[in-house]
Every structure is written in C-alpha cells, then in structure tokens.
Amino acid sequence: MSHEAVTANPLDAVSVVLPQGTSLAELFARTPAPPFAPDALSFMESFSRRLLRDPAVRQYPELVALGFWARAASIKRLNTRFAEAYPEAVRLARGLAFHVAPSNVDTIFVYSLLLSLLAGNVNVIRVSSRGGDQADALMRVLSGALEETEDSVRARIAIIRYAHDRTVTDALCARCHIRVVWGGDATVSTIRQSPLAPAGTELVFPNKYSVSVFDAAAWLAADDKAAVAKDFVNDSLWFGQAACSSPRAVIWRGDEEATNAASASFWAEVRGAALAANFPLEGADAVAKLLAEQTAAIEVGAEVVGGSADNHVRVIRPPLSRLGGAPLASAGFFEDYRIGGLADLLPHIAENWQTVTSFGIAREDWAGFLGQHQPRGIARIVKPGHALNFDSLWDGVDLLAQMTRLVVIE
C-alpha cells in the first residue's frame, strides 16, 4: 500500500452541494455564532420569502408549510420561548453540528439546518442523492437564499453528498460536537458505528409509529366531515405515508354501534378525499397493499373493510392485539380499531409511538390519561391536518435546547 493511500483524506470524497465553493477545512475552523444571530434571522426571512413566492412551490403544501414556519413572526415566538427558558444562564452554540437527513421526507433536513443555524452552530448536512421535483425546488430556493445572504451565514453551512463510506462518516463524526440523525432504526444503528469525540453528543430520530384516535359520537355529530377527511388524507398520503407522523391506524372510541357507524362513514369520506387529492400511486404500492390485506386476513383474522376503486385507500380491521405492530404496507394502507376508553390503548403503546391525531377527545381526557398511566410513547397530540407540522419541540425533545449549551453565571 502506498504512502499516499495511507494518508489520503477521506473527506476528499465529499461533494459540497451548497454553497458552491465551500471548503470543509475552513468550515471546521469557523467560530459559532450567538443563538438567534441577526445574520441567521435575515437569512431565514429571505428563505421564507423566496419559498412562499416561488410558483413551483405552491403545488407542495409541505414546502408552503415550511415557508410559513420560517417567517419572522414564527421565529420570534421561538426566540421568546428560547430566551425565557433559562434566564439565569448564558446560552451558547454547541459548535459543529453534523446532520444526517432522511431520504423519504425532503423538508426535514431544512428544518434541522435552520434550527441549528438559529442555535448558532456551524453545520454540515448530508443529504440523499435521491430526490424528485420537490427536492429540486427546495434546493433551488435554498441556493437563491444563500446567494443573497451574508458571507458569515454561508460560512456556517455545507450541504454535502457522499457515497455510503464509513471512513467519511468517521471523519465527520470525530469532528462534530453534536450529531443529528434522522432516518429510522437502520440509519441510526449505522451512523452510531462511527464514534463521536468524547465530549460529543447526539440527537437521534429512529423509526416512529403514529395513529389517529377519533371519538365515534363526535365524528357522527360533526358537520365538517369532508374537511376532516381531507385533513386526514393530507396527514397520511403526503410522502406516501412514510413520514414518521403519518397515521397508520384509526382507533375509534365508543360503543360497538357508534364505532361501526362512524368507521363506515369516515372511510367513505376518506376515499372521496383521496380520489380528489389524486396523489400518485406506484403500481408496486398498489400490489403491496392488496397483498398485505390478504395476508392479514389469513394470518390474524383481519376483516377486509374495503378500499377505494382506484386503490388509493385500503383498510383492514385486525384484532386489537395487532395495534402497534410493524406496518404491513404504506401509501394509503390503514388499520381500523375499536376501544371503549383511552386506557385500552395502554397495553399497546410502545416507545416508538410519536404522533396522535385526535378528533372529538378533550384535552383534559388526554392529560388525565397521560398523567395517570405515564405511557413510554406518544410525543405529540394534534388535530387532523396538523400531523406533518414541524416544531422545535419534536419527539419529546426541545431541539433548540439540545443544540445549544448552558453556561451558568452565579
């Protein structure tokens, strides 16, 4: 083996996508900024404005939601919450943040980057080489915002790509002060094979499971069924049901008569909303859903509730013991369950439960259930239509708090 091969820098294999011309060596030497620095706020305002004004973006509601989230008014609320959390301490950036983005949800890497930029960190973000029109639109808008921002902001960002190479990941992890890993159990396990520096820390987001819980009587009495069904479809079918917060099951609270009637009414509305939304459906997904429902019928005695004629929606009703099990299919495959009360959920809630979209169930009911039973899972409870809304409080973690450190002055 030649001397050159032994001493080769593994980071030479890294391609910097944005900002073009960025030097990783210079980035690593960069001093972090104070949290909520003026140049970061100015960049976010430019990015939000560009995103919301871009005609190509309007067809992607999740990109529009990102643009609204990054508006000055939204960031001001984050700043207020951040400033009020630890008034006795000085908040500083962690330093160098290495983000590993998922391949199935294009917007996550931008939320991760923007929050870390607000925290003051210098950022290296590894993005997937896979991506469609939506990812292209997002990168184009981000590039434009970076071109018009201050040099000090560009100097704290490197969006990179590289082939799966342990030596490259080792080199990046050895340099970072915080590692942020999105993408599921397999990705977390793979990245954790690369050691952090002794003082390094990490945030990880492994596989998650999300559901909807509806009160049957409330649904039957609702006069806005079509709107709620449309919200549910948006929660579910954007990203092909692959987002961690997209519901996999609908759980009905109530007696047998009410839950049966509510379920039948609900799925009829959902099928109509899915047809109107006209989300793309791959042939492989259609086949996988049909196979999954037949397998569930044979293996666990699931009732096949039916599906839409265009196959965008397939629904099965398994025994309650199946609740929380590994997803059998995606892209519009749902399980339907009955419970008498929230306490019936307790045996099935695991640590990977993330988002509950709730309809017709009072906040006090949820607060009482959580306080009394202390389930290991459930990180957020939201209204239909809000499942995909991102926030700095995510998976039970205050991301801005974790991306900064505290210096106590007595």
Side-chain angles (χ1 to χ4, degrees):
M1 182 179 294
S2 69
H3 177 70
E4 288 78 13
V6 172
T7 58
N9 182 356
L11 295 180
D12 289 343
V14 171
S15 172
V16 178
V17 181
L18 291 175
Q20 294 183 0
T22 294
S23 162
L24 289 182
E26 293 178 2
L27 186 89
F28 295 151
R30 183 68 51 181
T31 300
F36 289 87
D39 59 355
L41 297 177
S42 177
F43 167 71
M44 290 191 66
E45 184 176 356
S46 170
F47 172 72
S48 172
R49 182 179 65 252
R50 283 175 168 271
L51 200 61
L52 292 174
R53 292 179 180 178
D54 192 304
V57 165
R58 294 170 189 160
Q59 62 182 308
Y60 303 115
E62 63 273 30
L63 296 189
V64 175
L66 170 59
F68 275 100
W69 178 88
R71 288 181 308 165
S74 174
I75 302 308
K76 184 178 180 180
R77 288 191 292 271
L78 286 182
N79 196 355
T80 299
R81 185 166 68 189
F82 181 86
E84 292 176 348
Y86 297 97
E88 73 280 12
V90 176
R91 305 282 288 271
L92 301 177
R94 291 260 180 199
L96 178 66
F98 173 41
H99 309 252
V100 178
S103 60
N104 61 339
V105 181
D106 295 322
T107 54
I108 284 294
F109 88 88
V110 182
Y111 283 113
S112 193
L113 164 62
L114 294 182
L115 283 170
S116 187
L117 194 67
L118 287 176
N121 292 314
V122 178
N123 298 278
V124 177
I125 309 95
R126 190 189 85 180
V127 296
S128 172
S129 59
R130 292 182 290 174
D133 294 341
Q134 178 177 275
D136 291 343
L138 185 55
M139 293 296 278
R140 175 172 45 76
V141 172
L142 191 57
S143 176
L146 285 168
E147 286 177 3
E148 74 175 17
T149 196
E150 297 178 46
D151 290 343
S152 56
V153 173
R154 285 194 296 272
R156 301 201 297 275
I157 298 173
I159 299 174
I160 66 171
R161 289 191 177 108
Y162 62 90
H164 292 287
D165 187 329
R166 168 74 183 273
T167 61
V168 178
T169 304
D170 285 350
L172 291 168
C173 291
R175 287 171 169 81
C176 74
H177 302 98
I178 180 169
R179 180 170 67 191
V180 187
V181 185
W182 308 83
D185 294 354
T187 300
V188 170
S189 297
T190 298
I191 299 298
R192 277 183 166 169
Q193 295 174 21
S194 298
L196 287 166
T201 189
E202 69 175 355
L203 286 169
V204 297
F205 301 92
N207 291 348
K208 296 296 177 180
Y209 178 81
S210 296
V211 302
S212 293
V213 182
F214 279 46
D215 182 82
W219 169 261
L220 292 172
D223 56 8
D224 57 347
K225 291 183 176 66
V228 176
K230 180 180 179 180
D231 286 339
F232 176 84
V233 166
N234 287 336
D235 286 341
S236 306
L237 298 187
W238 281 109
F239 306 116
Q241 211 177 0
C244 59
S245 55
S246 294
R248 296 281 181 174
V250 175
I251 304 162
W252 295 99
R253 183 182 72 168
D255 60 38
E256 183 176 0
E257 181 179 0
T259 56
N260 284 338
S263 175
S265 166
F266 176 76
W267 292 117
E269 294 283 356
V270 167
R271 292 178 184 110
L275 182 62
N278 195 31
F279 287 103
L281 178 65
E282 299 293 333
D285 288 327
V287 173
K289 289 191 287 186
L290 291 171
L291 180 61
E293 73 175 21
Q294 297 303 317
T295 300
I298 294 169
E299 294 185 352
V300 299
E303 177 186 353
V304 177
V305 178
S308 55
D310 59 8
N311 209 20
H312 275 293
V313 177
R314 309 300 300 183
V315 186
I316 63 171
R317 187 172 298 147
L320 189 58
S321 58
R322 159 74 196 162
L323 179 59
L328 300 174
S330 296
F333 186 84
F334 301 97
E335 299 175 18
D336 185 279
Y337 296 97
R338 309 283 190 273
I339 58 172
L342 296 181
D344 294 340
L345 295 174
L346 196 61
H348 310 284
I349 298 175
E351 289 187 352
N352 69 334
W353 280 42
Q354 187 213 60
T355 299
V356 173
T357 51
S358 173
F359 180 84
I361 299 175
R363 186 184 191 281
E364 293 74 19
D365 288 359
W366 281 115
F369 167 74
L370 296 170
Q372 178 181 354
H373 298 289
Q374 300 289 313
R376 291 290 299 167
I378 300 181
R380 54 197 292 259
I381 300 170
V382 300
K383 298 176 182 178
H386 291 239
L388 300 181
N389 291 1
F390 194 82
D391 187 64
S392 63
L393 303 180
W394 192 256
D395 273 6
V397 173
D398 184 335
L399 298 181
L400 277 171
Q402 295 297 315
M403 291 176 174
T404 54
R405 61 189 182 90
L406 301 172
V407 179
V408 177
I409 302 176
E410 294 185 351

